Amino acid sequence: MTDKATLTWGAGKSAEFPILKGTIGPDVIDIRTLYANTGMFTYDPGYMSTGSTKSAITYIDGDKGILLYRGYPIEQLAVQCDFLEVSYLIKHGELPTKTQYEDWVGRVKRHTMVHDQLTRFFNGFRRDAHPMAVLVGVVGALSAFYHDSLDINNPEHRIIAAIRLIAKLPTIVAMAYKYNMGQPFMYPRNELSYSANFMHMMFATPCETYVPNPVLVRALDRILILHADHEQNASTSTVRLSGSSGANPFACIAAGIACLWGPAHGGANEAALAMLEQIGDASKIPEFIAKVKDKNSGAKLMGFGHRVYKNYDPRAKLMRETCHEVLAELGLQNDRLFKLALALEKIALEDDYFVSRKLYPNVDFYSGIVQRALGIPTNLFTGIFALARTVGWIAQWNEMIADPEQKIGRPRQLYTGPTTREVVPMDKR
Ligand code: SDX
């Protein structure tokens, strides 16, 4: 027996809508027949109360601070698995066996190089171009190189496109960094692990041998796991909406990168570090907090707050631990910004303004500090986020394409503009 929701309006009008249940989490009211039955749309700017799809990939409980990838708690995955293992889980729905893992790693490693002509795209950018501008352009351009994997209705094309994107994003992000630095691109080294290979492409030069520090490699791998997927966030919804028109996966991922760039979303880690640099010293925290409380200042506590988490973001806790590990490994336990971040977090979580609004640190609050300690420049933080989230984006895109219920996304509106009127010739206006 399906529960129903009844809507009543006007003079005794009513309509019923089925209530659908998931495995865990809030039920949904299926309003697909609302307009046909009532002549009305729903109104939900920012989709605060709207479920856009069914999905079996990631579950978030914002009140309890729970994050599951395919049912596995992020706390276990971040400690017991590596990023490619988690990418297999997110894409296929199950943790890989040893054989499946080795096959997956082998397939990814065979696609880490980019077409040599792709390197020419970089020369069109200024050396100081923001890496996210470069990523949007170069990832979008990938569709011009892979005509053999653009048929989105062919499952084999979809899997090879997924592997190419997972394999090539680290290479392209590292190339964006090298281009900014004026250093030569470093080719992937397939004998290295995924994260060690990325660090090699970032920090090695042709002049000397570079051996990635295993503690730092593990920290980076965990950062990628923490950012891999996150339900129907803004950039994932962008990828899904782009894909719903039948656009190819490379173009859809480029759209996701563009959306992630915003400071309210993936750009927050870069903004959070800039905020800490701007505060400068713990003695200036009260002054900054007062500014944040003044709505007219427009100042926000970057790296705090979340649309879904109204408790501590579980990723922020793991990121703070990773911060400790990396700073200890580098002998930076007294890192000025980390101590400032800890002090700011303590003060904010004791301040009713933030507690009453359920504003807690999110994944971006500590990720900038640990990436800076890893030697990653601030303007590349969101690029690393995009590298990791490509796994979630491509899994969500695949889930949408394979969903028999999926249609082209086309929201409606509440129109508030002028009613019909006649054009007046210009000489009479
Ligand atoms: C990510 O969706 C995802 O899953 C995203 C993400 C992912 O993995 O994909 O988790 C990654 O984007 C994390 C969020 C990173 N962004 C930031 O850290 C930027 C700072 N945060 C805010 O911009 C904000 O918290 C949002 C955008 C994250 C969420 O905003 P909401 O849900 O729209 O909440 P809101 O703006 O309605 O805020 C409610 C209240 C408001 O005050 P009042 O009008 O009630 O007085 O809280 C205030 C806001 O002004 N508020 C903040 C604040 N965030 C919200 N005040 C100060 N500092 C902040 N950071």
Side-chain angles (χ1 to χ4, degrees):
M1 163 68 171
T2 307
D3 286 347
K4 291 187 184 303
T6 303
L7 178 67
T8 59
W9 75 99
K13 293 179 186 172
S14 73
E16 281 193 337
F17 303 94
I19 293 175
L20 307 180
K21 293 183 175 305
T23 41
I24 41 177
D27 297 343
V28 298
I29 301 171
D30 181 348
I31 57 160
R32 282 176 284 187
T33 61
L34 177 77
Y35 182 57
N37 292 345
T38 70
M40 291 188 284
F41 299 133
T42 59
Y43 182 65
D44 187 14
Y47 309 117
M48 305 278 282
S49 301
T50 294
S52 60
T53 184
K54 291 178 186 163
S55 179
I57 299 174
T58 292
Y59 175 71
I60 303 170
D61 182 322
D63 294 327
K64 295 183 185 135
I66 290 171
L67 169 56
L68 309 177
Y69 291 162
R70 300 286 189 177
Y72 293 100
I74 190 69
E75 294 82 358
Q76 294 182 32
L77 294 171
V79 172
Q80 298 183 44
C81 301
D82 71 23
F83 179 65
L84 277 188
E85 194 177 351
V86 170
S87 73
Y88 183 98
L89 168 69
I90 290 174
K91 174 78 184 62
H92 296 90
E94 297 296 337
L95 283 167
T97 62
K98 190 166 175 17
T99 309
Q100 289 167 332
Y101 174 75
E102 287 168 354
D103 173 61
W104 178 247
V105 171
R107 291 188 76 181
V108 169
K109 286 190 170 184
R110 277 197 298 280
H111 291 277
T112 50
M113 282 211 299
V114 294
H115 192 294
D116 222 36
Q117 276 183 246
L118 202 79
T119 59
R120 296 183 200 163
F121 282 85
F122 288 81
N123 294 331
F125 292 99
R126 288 172 36 151
R127 285 282 180 179
D128 62 351
H130 194 289
M132 289 301 278
V134 175
L135 289 185
V136 170
V138 173
V139 172
L142 285 175
S143 43
F145 288 81
Y146 297 115
H147 298 129
D148 66 339
S149 63
L150 296 181
D151 175 2
I152 62 168
N153 298 308
N154 179 333
E156 254 316 294
H157 282 209
R158 295 206 301 267
I159 189 68
I160 187 63
I163 287 172
R164 278 174 166 150
L165 282 157
I166 294 168
K168 296 179 195 307
L169 254 290
T171 309
I172 294 170
V173 171
M175 289 170 80
Y177 171 65
K178 286 302 199 186
Y179 186 73
N180 258 177
M181 296 289 284
Q183 289 184 359
F185 298 140
M186 296 302 291
Y187 281 104
R189 296 277 295 278
N190 289 339
E191 77 275 13
L192 297 173
S193 71
Y194 189 86
S195 292
N197 192 14
F198 175 67
M199 289 188 79
H200 182 270
M201 292 188 286
M202 282 280 293
F203 301 121
T205 67
C207 318
E208 55 195 33
T209 305
Y210 170 82
V211 179
N213 174 322
V215 173
L216 305 187
V217 168
R218 180 63 195 138
L220 177 69
D221 205 68
R222 182 179 295 176
I223 289 170
L224 300 183
I225 291 171
L226 296 178
H227 287 86
D229 193 53
H230 212 239
E231 201 212 67
Q232 304 311 317
N233 58 84
S235 53
T236 297
S237 300
T238 300
V239 170
R240 279 179 170 262
L241 194 56
S242 307
S244 72
S245 74
N248 72 72
F250 305 101
C252 295
I253 299 301
I257 293 171
C259 176
L260 187 73
W261 194 359
H265 189 14
N269 49 24
E270 183 176 350
L273 201 78
M275 173 190 73
L276 291 170
E277 293 282 10
Q278 180 200 350
I279 294 169
D281 181 84
S283 63
K284 298 283 183 24
I285 290 176
E287 178 190 336
F288 182 77
I289 294 276
K291 193 173 158 197
V292 169
K293 292 177 181 176
D294 169 12
K295 293 285 182 194
N296 300 320
S297 76
K300 282 196 183 285
L301 201 46
M302 298 313 279
F304 261 68
H306 198 278
R307 172 60 56 76
V308 177
Y309 289 122
K310 302 306 174 191
N311 196 327
Y312 214 101
D313 181 335
R315 302 168 297 175
K317 281 180 194 158
L318 290 159
M319 195 65 80
R320 190 177 55 197
E321 284 166 26
T322 305
C323 242
H324 272 303
E325 284 169 24
V326 168
L327 295 172
E329 174 68 16
L330 296 170
L332 299 172
Q333 293 88 326
N334 294 320
D335 177 80
R336 175 177 62 86
L337 289 185
F338 185 52
K339 288 167 76 74
L340 182 58
L342 291 171
L344 179 56
E345 174 190 343
K346 185 173 184 308
I347 292 170
L349 296 186
E350 290 167 355
D351 185 314
D352 184 58
Y353 180 88
F354 300 97
V355 174
S356 64
R357 289 169 174 79
K358 298 186 176 181
L359 301 176
Y360 292 87
N362 59 50
V363 67
D364 293 303
F365 188 60
Y366 288 102
S367 75
I369 299 166
V370 63
Q371 291 186 69
R372 174 176 157 270
L374 291 174
I376 294 164
T378 307
N379 70 1
L380 201 71
F381 292 171
T382 312
I384 305 283
F385 195 150
L387 186 171
R389 188 53 57 88
T390 293
V391 162
W393 288 333
I394 203 67
Q396 298 269 355
W397 173 81
N398 260 295
E399 185 179 61
M400 179 203 66
I401 299 290
D403 180 351
E405 289 188 335
Q406 78 97 8
K407 291 177 177 295
I408 186 167
R410 206 271 185 231
R412 301 303 301 273
Q413 64 180 11
L414 176 67
Y415 178 69
T416 57
T419 55
T420 308
R421 51 184 174 164
E422 299 303 311
V423 173
V424 174
M426 194 179 285
D427 58 6
K428 294 193 170 26
R429 289 176 205 160

